[in-house]
Each structure stands twice: as structure tokens, then as C-alpha cells.
Amino acid sequence: MKGVLLVNLGSPDSPNPKDVKKYLGEFLMDERVIDIPYPARAALVKGIILKTRPKASAAAYKKIWWEEGSPLIVISERLQKGIQQHTDIPIALAMRYGSMTIKKGLQELVDKGVDEVLLFPLYPQFAMATTETITVLVDELQKEFFPNLKIESVPAFYNKPDYIEVLSNSIQFHLKDKNPEHILFSYHGVPERHIRKRDVTKSHCKIDGSCCVTPSKAHEFCYRHQCLEVTRLVAEKLQLKEGTYSTSFQSRLGFDPWLQPYTDRTIERMGKQGTKNMAIVTPAFVSDCLETLEEIAMEGEEIFHEMGGEEFTTIPCLNDDKEFVELLAKWINIWVSKN
């Protein structure tokens, strides 16, 4: 019997500092998120970050917390239920971090008689800190607890034509009557070293102006290329004029070089340069969360207005959009029909 495990990032159980600290501790101690040797990572996370950041992060979570709970969790559950209505096999949901563990999700499927799982990381682009950390953990859990379970993983879907169409339709719908001067495609940032670490050629990724647009097998695992490609494909689909859109990266941490240009500085620069009406879309996320609802929709808008901007439109993630639900269900049903 086949089943699907959808996996998203995760969330604290509540927006109080204690729960946020627990969540941040698990997240930031992941060796694929902060990829430095364990002693240095422990000193940084436990000795510095967890002593200062939970209170501020809890305040940010309180700003965006819904009555039903964490927006990311609630939206992911809606997505799960929506997909379930379009397929006959069990669809389970888990989070990489937090109390909705992947182990629980796999166990839920096994308890329903599933012996073949389609692992579905809810990330359009591949990254060490997202897709890879999920697949590595699932491999470990399979070997230790589910040795008889056959598991297949969905690869990055950033360039699939039907995904680009759904994303483009969503952007077009939410920009109806808005007429922005500029559309900013903001993706979650990663350290530059993550890009180089996952370069299968060991030589292609230079993070310059040409490597991401020069064909290479490195692109299969290059987060930067995949982000730029989403922007290019959507711009092509929507027939956006050169100069009316751009790409940036948000949510950097620490002092190491991260992918640039940075979103906050880009918003600031655009306001200073006289842009009055801009829109921003966040295609690295499929579900609205702290990084979209607070960092972009609140902090980003505040920066833009302070710099003289007037209209700032935040385009929602695909969330449980009807077209997106039907697309994921279609992909799942194609997998079910194999063999």
C-alpha cells in the first residue's frame, strides 16, 4: 500500500519564549543549518543565540500567531486535507523541527498499512538546510525504525512547467489592479559556502555573474541557480519587462557571506531611489510563515515606507491555493499509478 508524507519546516508549539527557545535549539543545532564543527556550533547556539534570541523571536511569533495556532502548521494542515480529497491513498504531514516529528508521520502511515512512501519535502528548490536535512533524517529513521518501508523522495520541482504556471497565476491574481513598478522575488538566504559544498563538479559554482546561467550538472543541487531560474521562468510566463523585476535573499544569520543581494537592503534602496509602488513574492516558501508574514509583510513594508515608498504589496505563498492543491495531488496520483 502506498502513502505520502508531506514535510514542511516546523514551528514552535506556542509563541512563548520557552517553546521558541526549544524550537530554535533543535533547528539551529542541525549540522546542515549551521554547518560548523559541533563544539563551535554548540558554543554559538547554546552559549549565545539561545540566551538572546528566543525573547525577540517570541515577540515576532506573537505578531503573526493565529487563533488556530502557528500559521505554517495551520496552512500545511489545510494543504494536507486538500490533497487528501483528490487521492485515495493516505496523506500524512510532518515537520522537520518541532513536535510534529517525521518519525510520527512515518509511523502514522505504517499504522494505516502503508509499506511504500512518497516523501514530499515542501520546498521547490533544493538546499542543504531544507530538502537535504529532511532526506538524511528520513534515511536514518528508515534504517533504525522502519527497515521494511520503501521510501522514494520527490526532487526539487522549481522548474516544472506546471508549477511555474500555478505560481505565475497566483502572482497575477494577487497583483490584479495593483500595477507595481517593480516585483521583487525574495528567497530565503543561505551561506555562500552551502552552494560550494553541494557543487557536484567541485569547480562550477563560483557565485559570480555567469555560473548560474551556464549549463552544468551542478545545477541539480545549486540553490542559487534554482532560485534565479524560478524568477526567470515566472518573468517569462508573465511577460515581465527587463528592469521591472529582480531577485534578492532574506533572513541571513551571522557574519559569514550569504547570498546577495539582501532583501532588506534591496527594499531600502528601491525606496530611496524613488520607487513608490512595489510588490514582493517569496517563492522559496510554499506556506506563509514568520519569514513572510513578519519579516516581509511587516518589517519589509516598514522599511519601504520609511524610505519614501507608498504601496507595498506582499503576495501570499501558494498555501492551500486550489490550483496548487490540485497540482500536488496530480503529481501524487501519477506516482500512485506507476508500477
Side-chain angles (χ1 to χ4, degrees), residues 3-8 79 83 91-94 109 117-124 131 134-135 138 151-157 160 286 324-325 327-333 335:
V4 175
L5 183 63
L6 306 172
V7 185
N8 213 331
L79 178 66
I83 295 171
I91 309 291
L93 174 67
L109 291 173
V117 173
L118 180 65
L119 176 66
F120 206 133
L122 291 171
Y123 299 104
T131 316
I134 289 171
T135 55
V138 167
I151 301 177
E152 180 181 339
S153 184
V154 173
F157 52 89
K160 282 186 171 284
V286 300
F324 186 52
V325 168
L327 175 61
L328 299 195
K330 182 183 86 170
W331 290 345
I332 287 166
N333 287 326
W335 173 75

Side-chain angles (χ1 to χ4, degrees), residues 160-325:
K160 282 186 171 284
D162 39 9
Y163 163 70
I164 293 298
E165 182 173 1
V166 168
L167 178 59
S168 300
N169 289 346
S170 175
I171 293 169
Q172 194 167 46
F173 174 79
H174 288 100
L175 289 183
K176 198 175 178 184
D177 304 323
K178 294 291 184 181
N179 299 314
E181 300 161 58
H182 195 92
I183 301 175
L184 183 62
F185 290 75
S186 177
Y187 300 84
H188 199 289
V190 299
E192 289 184 356
R193 66 177 179 273
H194 282 204
I195 304 299
R196 296 189 176 96
K197 275 187 173 183
R198 288 303 169 262
D199 179 2
V200 292
T201 71
K202 303 300 180 188
S203 61
H204 180 79
C205 295
K206 296 179 175 62
I207 314 183
D208 56 15
S210 64
C211 62
C212 280
V213 294
T214 304
S216 171
K217 58 184 179 181
H219 293 172
E220 183 181 354
F221 301 107
C222 179
Y223 177 72
R224 184 174 183 269
H225 161 78
Q226 294 181 10
C227 291
L228 294 175
E229 191 68 358
V230 170
T231 300
R232 185 188 72 79
L233 291 169
V234 170
E236 188 178 88
K237 187 79 176 174
L238 295 179
Q239 298 182 327
L240 302 179
K241 293 179 182 176
E242 196 70 35
T244 65
Y245 65 93
S246 60
T247 295
S248 63
F249 298 90
Q250 63 185 87
S251 313
R252 62 192 182 278
L253 174 69
F255 302 102
D256 291 337
W258 280 50
L259 294 181
Q260 295 187 41
Y262 299 137
T263 295
D264 53 356
R265 293 180 186 172
T266 302
I267 295 171
E268 182 180 335
R269 175 177 53 78
M270 294 188 68
K272 282 181 178 178
Q273 289 177 348
T275 302
K276 297 301 180 186
N277 183 347
M278 72 173 290
I280 187 163
V281 60
T282 49
F285 307 92
V286 300
S287 309
D288 276 309
C289 53
L290 186 70
E291 287 81 1
T292 64
L293 298 171
E294 197 270 341
E295 183 181 355
I296 297 298
M298 294 181 185
E299 290 184 10
E301 182 169 18
E302 186 177 340
I303 292 169
F304 188 58
H305 289 158
E306 284 176 355
M307 294 300 115
E310 294 174 2
E311 187 167 355
F312 186 88
T313 302
T314 306
I315 299 167
C317 293
L318 289 173
N319 294 329
D320 60 338
D321 176 276
K322 182 173 179 287
E323 282 191 26
F324 186 52
V325 168

